[in-house]
Amino acid sequence: MIKVRNLTKKYGNHLAVNNISFDIKPGKIYGLLGPNGAGKSTTMNILTGCLAATSGEVKVDGHDIFDEPLEAKRHIGYLPEQPPVYGEMTPREYLMFVAEAKGVPFEKSLRHVKEVMQLTQIYDVRNRLIRNLSKGYRQRVGIAQAMIGEPDVIILDEPTVGLDPAQIIEIRNLIRKLGRLKTVIISSHILAEISAVCDHVIIISHGNIVANDTLENLEASASRNNALTLKIKGDKARAEKLISSVPGVASAEYSENGGVVSALVIAEEGADIREAVFNAFASAKMPLLDMHTNETTLEDIFLGLAYGSDERNAYIAEPEEEEEEIGEEKPKAKEEDDYKPLFSASDDEEDDE
Ligand code: ADP
Ligand code: MG
């Protein structure tokens, strides 16, 4: 469906996307997962023909996005990170406008827009002004917009950012529903977001793809990898040196507090490093205060792959999204009363309110 080969994007000297290649196959939900600044939006903007690449190739259903943009873009519906705002339109007017822009014939667009509004559950608010809708509804209008013109692939950039928990659940359900009809690509910097809805995960870090696999395989490999948590009395640099000398160590993270070093050591698949770790510290006469095994999770894998240790701490400490827009699900009746829709209600019977 989409083939990406050796895609690179530089902003001036800054390498935002570094020679990435991947395939998007039909009928699945893909997650592009990575920290802020990883290059997700840049990648999506290039896939959808909104941004030129520095080098590399993107083919959509065999059509090059740069050489045959019209043919290629016909297959794609896109909700960018900052969706265009048409606050003074109603969802219905806006979607009719999008349908016209995408070349859907007018006779067909009435039915099509209605179907899309029903699918995305915005039909009840179709005649309210977009600016009076809650963020959850506005996001659904954005997803509806991406579905106009019946594209095969729907690309949504961070579709749940800034939503409250109830709205997030609704959008996730909608994405799952879309996934049964279309190929879907969503991006997020939150693992839980991706693991909740995606079949396939592409992890991107500093413009590089660091993992590209099914969620199932990633989870399986996470649980095969055993991690050791250690507490060692003494100097961090010495502890690091000792652990890195142990055969079978895949990676390790360290922190130090009051003369005690804590380490999370991930062993290579199938390796049991406990005895070698014990012996290394014993012969160095560094007291090993605690050692226990714990299963690594997908979270550990993601954090290890996608973040440096500073970024990792920032990620773990990330504050909750602030609350917003309490109780504004209801329209401001007065403005609605004064408002005259551009399209008459005559095309669908149940329109009267
Ligand atoms: P993400 O969506 O994963 O957060 P982006 O694709 O937005 O990441 O950004 C990738 C990198 O490119 C970041 O370091 C960002 O600061 C930089 N970047 C993005 N857009 C621009 C731009 N228009 N000009 C210069 N640098 C940019
Ligand atoms: Mg982004």
Side-chain angles (χ1 to χ4, degrees), residues 116-128:
V116 168
M117 288 193 297
Q118 283 167 334
L119 182 81
T120 52
Q121 289 170 317
I122 54 171
Y123 192 70
D124 292 344
V125 299
R126 67 196 176 281
N127 292 323
R128 295 180 191 171

Side-chain angles (χ1 to χ4, degrees), residues 11 14 16 35-42 81:
Y11 295 108
H14 180 68
N36 290 324
K40 304 179 296 293
S41 299
T42 300
E81 195 167 29

Side-chain angles (χ1 to χ4, degrees), residues 123-156:
Y123 192 70
D124 292 344
V125 299
R126 67 196 176 281
N127 292 323
R128 295 180 191 171
L129 288 182
I130 290 175
R131 73 172 149 85
N132 290 335
L133 299 177
S134 71
K135 201 157 182 184
Y137 268 107
R138 284 206 297 270
Q139 198 64 340
R140 277 189 266 163
V141 173
I143 294 174
Q145 160 280 130
M147 297 200 67
I148 296 291
E150 302 182 274
D152 309 310
V153 188
I154 305 285
I155 300 183
L156 310 171

